[in-house]
Amino acid sequence: MRSYIVFHQVEDLATVKGDFYALGHSPNIIGAIDGTHVALVPRQRSEQVYRNRKSYHSMNVQMVCLADQYISQVNAMFPGSVHDAYILRNSSIPYVMGQLQRHRV
């Protein structure tokens, strides 16, 4: 997985920002984030944890992609009952954004 899904390094970000600007004329964008629910059949004993707000069982998966539609980050660690905001707070994204802010990219 680490060979195919990588968050760009600081030196690559000017290119990433340029690609997003060319796509939608929005400055300083380094990724597009969204979440989706992937349906599954859970084990009987943990069934409730995987039931999402639409009453089916799922994993709540968060992804970040680049302007060229390459995936740069995936977080598939949380069951469907977990809220998107909780997944974001507990992902590597706040840390990465903090590092980028310190480097003033």
Side-chain angles (χ1 to χ4, degrees):
M1 178 177 83
R2 294 187 193 282
S3 300
Y4 299 100
I5 301 172
V6 291
F7 204 84
H8 283 273
Q9 301 300 314
V10 172
E11 53 273 4
D12 300 329
L13 291 181
T15 302
V16 172
K17 287 178 182 183
D19 292 346
F20 272 107
Y21 189 81
L23 184 65
H25 300 289
S26 296
N28 298 316
I29 305 296
I30 60 170
I33 186 171
D34 199 6
T36 191
H37 286 264
V38 178
L40 56 78
V41 177
R43 293 184 178 144
Q44 192 73 18
R45 65 177 180 236
S46 57
E47 179 269 331
Q48 277 305 107
V49 177
Y50 291 92
R51 186 177 305 276
N52 65 29
R53 63 181 169 33
K54 294 190 177 185
S55 294
Y56 69 90
H57 300 99
S58 66
M59 290 293 294
N60 196 348
V61 180
Q62 171 188 277
M63 283 195 247
V64 178
C65 74
L66 305 176
D68 56 8
Q69 299 179 5
Y70 280 95
I71 297 170
S72 64
Q73 195 266 355
V74 175
N75 187 346
M77 297 178 8
F78 295 96
S81 62
V82 176
H83 194 275
D84 293 350
Y86 181 86
I87 295 172
L88 177 60
R89 281 193 311 270
N90 288 280
S91 72
S92 62
I93 294 174
Y95 173 77
V96 170
M97 293 297 112
Q99 295 289 16
L100 293 175
Q101 185 65 27
R102 284 187 213 39
H103 287 98
R104 305 236 189 251
V105 175

